[in-house]
């Protein structure tokens, strides 16, 4: 399984429009950026997209224009699904979109003008997607939201954004045993927000879940570029790590 962070930013991205903080200034000077968070998972030539954020067109071009075989929507917030329209007129086949019922009915209604096939998933029940075993687990946000656990070739990838660290026992159990864990880390430790984790919350959760590798995604412009667990746009991972 080959995982690519197509974007690692929050809803407004970095640099933030109109912001002149150190992080945004450095971004403008160097060309660094954090596009909105979406994840591409490749397995045996098939491509699964987790979330379709509003930077989708630039992200798919940067990733070499892969044919998308399936999509998962984690939740119905702008930065996680509105780029689905970038598939329009590009892929003529009927793209299956997976998610829990509440998310599919909300996001699907907005994209009712585009042909797609909705596949309802039940939390904690694995389903085969692109030859991988995929499980959705409910997390804690301000709208129905799921994280994703993917198993293939004996490797485990766990992705959870957006959420607080107030997670149920079955969800914590589902998040354990990861080779790679990507978590929501939107703000520095001194900033608390009711529907997300700051990076200290994310680090503490990662410590409890004990993955082999851990990185933050969904970071705002308040997170410095040299943050040790800050994933970079287009960062990739091969899982299992010791095998190509
Ligand atoms: Zn800024
Ligand atoms: Zn959200
Ligand atoms: Zn978000």
């Amino acid at each position: 399984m080959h995982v690519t962070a197509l974007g690692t930013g929050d809803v407004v991205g970095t640099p933030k429009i109109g912001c002149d903080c150190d992080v945004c200034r450095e971004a403008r000077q160097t060309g660094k950026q954090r596009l909105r968070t979406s994840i591409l998972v490749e397995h045996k030539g098939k491509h699964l997209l987790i979330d379709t954020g509003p930077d989708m067109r630039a992200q798919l071009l940067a990733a070499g224009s892969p044919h998308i075989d399936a999509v998962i929507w984690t939740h119905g917030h702008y930065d996680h699904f509105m780029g689905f329209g970038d598939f329009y007129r590009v892929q003529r086949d009927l793209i299956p979109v997976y998610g829990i019922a509440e998310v599919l009915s909300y996001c699907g209604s907005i994209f009712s003008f585009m042909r797609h096939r909705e596949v309802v998933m039940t939390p904690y029940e694995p389903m085969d997607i692109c030859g991988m075993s995929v499980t959705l687990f409910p997390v804690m946000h301000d709208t129905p939201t799921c994280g994703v656990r993917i198993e293939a070739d004996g490797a485990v990838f766990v992705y959870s954004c957006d959420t607080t660290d107030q997670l149920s026992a079955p969800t914590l159990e589902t998040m354990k045993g990861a080779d790679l864990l990507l978590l929501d880390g939107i703000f520095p430790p001194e900033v608390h927000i009711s529907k997300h984790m700051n990076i200290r919350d994310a680090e503490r959760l990662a410590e409890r879940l004990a993955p082999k590798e851990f990185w933050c995604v969904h970071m705002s412009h308040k997170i410095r570029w040299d943050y040790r667990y800050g994933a970079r746009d287009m960062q990739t991972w091969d899982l299992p790590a010791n095998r190509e």
Side-chain angles (χ1 to χ4, degrees):
M1 161 172 35
H2 187 72
V3 178
T4 305
L6 296 177
T8 59
D10 67 346
V11 63
V12 297
T14 305
K16 179 180 171 183
I17 294 170
C19 182
D20 196 36
C21 75
D22 289 349
V23 174
C24 289
R25 206 174 316 125
E26 185 177 339
R28 287 200 190 85
Q29 283 162 0
T30 61
K32 282 181 199 163
Q33 54 179 343
R34 294 187 183 117
L35 299 180
R36 272 62 72 87
T37 297
S38 290
I39 307 291
L40 181 66
V41 182
E42 193 241 313
H43 177 63
K44 295 190 172 146
K46 300 266 186 198
H47 294 90
L48 165 65
L49 258 182
I50 308 176
D51 286 334
T52 56
D55 293 311
M56 201 84 274
R57 178 178 177 275
Q59 290 170 324
L60 290 181
L61 287 171
S65 305
H67 177 274
I68 301 304
D69 298 282
V71 166
I72 294 173
W73 282 329
T74 61
H75 65 298
H77 277 167
Y78 175 79
D79 50 328
H80 294 267
F81 77 104
M82 284 305 283
F84 188 68
D86 284 3
F87 293 93
Y88 194 53
R89 292 177 188 269
V90 176
Q91 279 190 216
R92 288 289 181 174
D93 48 338
L94 206 56
I95 301 172
V97 184
Y98 296 79
I100 53 172
E102 300 95 311
V103 171
L104 287 181
S105 70
Y106 177 74
C107 301
S109 69
I110 287 166
F111 285 111
S112 57
F113 64 95
M114 284 180 48
R115 290 171 67 243
H116 62 280
R117 183 166 63 88
E118 295 177 8
V119 185
V120 176
M121 290 180 74
T122 305
Y124 305 121
E125 285 185 13
M127 195 177 261
D128 184 293
I129 305 177
C130 297
M132 303 179 285
S133 174
V134 179
T135 308
L136 299 186
F137 51 88
V139 294
M140 204 55 80
H141 200 33
D142 62 347
T143 184
T145 303
C146 283
V148 185
R149 177 189 177 93
I150 301 181
E151 297 185 38
D153 300 331
V156 177
F157 166 47
V158 174
Y159 168 71
S160 178
C161 87
D162 313 354
T163 185
T164 70
D165 57 0
Q166 301 302 301
L167 300 168
S168 70
T171 281
L172 288 169
E173 209 47 50
T174 308
M175 294 174 79
K176 283 181 183 162
D179 293 275
L180 172 65
L181 174 68
L182 299 184
L183 289 180
D184 174 6
I186 193 167
F187 287 126
E190 65 275 14
V191 182
H192 296 274
I193 176 168
S194 61
K195 56 183 184 171
H196 288 281
M197 291 189 285
N198 64 38
I199 54 176
R200 182 74 71 249
D201 299 329
E203 287 170 21
R204 282 205 197 103
L205 177 58
E207 246 166 65
R208 287 173 70 191
L209 298 172
K212 288 198 182 121
E213 206 175 330
F214 153 68
W215 295 89
C216 280
V217 291
H218 208 275
M219 293 169 285
S220 74
H221 68 126
K222 300 280 185 195
I223 305 295
R224 306 202 64 81
W225 292 107
D226 60 359
Y227 170 49
R228 64 182 291 217
Y229 294 116
R232 297 296 174 95
D233 282 22
M234 297 308 291
Q235 187 167 345
T236 61
W237 298 266
D238 276 307
L239 306 177
N242 56 357
R243 208 212 56 188
E244 262 308 73

